[in-house]
Amino acid sequence: MKGHMSDKTNAPDVMSVSRRGFLKGFGAGTAATSLLSPLSLREAEAAERGAVGPNEVPLTLLVNGQNRSLNVEPRVTLLDALRNRLDVTGPKKVCDRGTCGACTVLLDDKPVYACSILALEAEGRKITTVEGLGTPERMNAVQEAFVKHDAQQCGFCTPGFVTAATAFVRSHPNATVEQVRAGLGGNLCRCGTYAGMLLAVADAAAQKGGA
Ligand code: FES
Ligand code: FES
């Protein structure tokens, strides 16, 4: 009890000292920073946080095994950087808000929505788009299975599905159709070509697993 009483007695002093100290420091800081213009104040704050921009900054992205240098504003998404700056147009821009999966790319071999991360965040990581998964002459197992099962209509969702499915098949060899359905739940097809796509991915998974 005594200990508690003494804590209570001391507490206001500690609080008032630290509050006074804080206000004193704040006053000094205000005086110093008031000499700066609003813009340079923002820049000083940004520099303190390690922030960059708002103007373009240089960066290098490792896309499909090639280092690609570009300048972008820090607000630019990976999807816009790929499509508009690097002419890598396999990933599609549909919802631009992380719901449809048309923009799917692999980041360090994991599927991500390229519309939902910044280009800056992808620097130093391995980016693979549908262009990097195979060529018309040398398709990967998922691409071949999509052709075999005629798994597309307009084809706009296809690059995202193929990319997501490639990652899925690698980690789920011998997946059943039901597992494929659950695994590709992050991608939408507005044409409703799901039946063909599910069979294609299950087929590719079977080949991957040696079944
Ligand atoms: S465009 Fe990225 S999730 Fe739809
Ligand atoms: S094939 Fe047209 S949106 Fe999927």
Side-chain angles (χ1 to χ4, degrees):
M1 273 307 283
K2 199 173 172 195
H4 284 141
M5 285 294 289
S6 125
D7 285 351
K8 274 185 185 162
T9 312
N10 290 338
D13 283 347
V14 172
M15 287 295 288
S16 62
V17 167
S18 63
R19 199 174 287 136
R20 266 202 305 278
F22 170 74
L23 290 172
K24 211 170 141 191
F26 179 74
T30 305
T33 52
S34 67
L35 300 175
L36 301 171
S37 70
L39 184 61
S40 55
L41 175 58
R42 275 205 301 279
E43 285 172 347
E45 288 170 347
E48 202 172 305
R49 291 197 309 269
V52 292
N55 297 325
E56 290 190 345
V57 293
L59 80 157
T60 302
L61 296 178
L62 178 60
V63 184
N64 299 327
Q66 287 190 323
N67 276 320
R68 307 283 305 270
S69 297
L70 65 160
N71 293 308
V72 290
E73 292 176 15
R75 67 187 175 89
V76 170
T77 64
L78 175 59
L79 179 63
D80 284 343
L82 288 170
R83 291 182 56 82
N84 302 339
R85 299 302 183 91
L86 300 179
D87 208 23
V88 179
T89 55
K92 298 291 182 269
K93 190 170 183 174
V94 177
C95 70
D96 202 23
R97 56 191 302 171
T99 58
C100 75
C103 63
T104 303
V105 303
L106 304 183
L107 200 60
D108 292 336
D109 297 323
K110 299 271 190 319
V112 297
Y113 294 151
C115 70
S116 300
I117 67 166
L118 298 174
L120 280 178
E121 294 177 288
E123 190 169 37
R125 304 177 70 181
K126 184 173 86 167
I127 302 158
T128 310
T129 69
V130 71
E131 290 93 338
L133 297 178
T135 64
E137 296 75 34
R138 278 178 69 88
M139 292 186 278
N140 77 4
V142 171
Q143 291 168 321
E144 271 179 2
F146 265 64
V147 174
K148 179 177 155 193
H149 290 274
D150 197 17
Q152 64 176 38
Q153 291 187 56
C154 79
F156 214 68
C157 70
T158 310
F161 263 103
V162 166
T163 306
T166 296
F168 176 81
V169 163
R170 283 176 184 160
S171 55
H172 297 82
N174 294 320
T176 64
V177 170
E178 277 315 306
Q179 288 171 325
V180 172
R181 191 193 305 278
L184 298 186
N187 290 64
L188 301 176
C189 172
R190 285 166 177 79
C191 298
T193 323
Y194 292 106
M197 287 195 287
L198 293 176
L199 284 178
V201 179
D203 192 356
Q207 289 179 42
K208 196 80 184 168

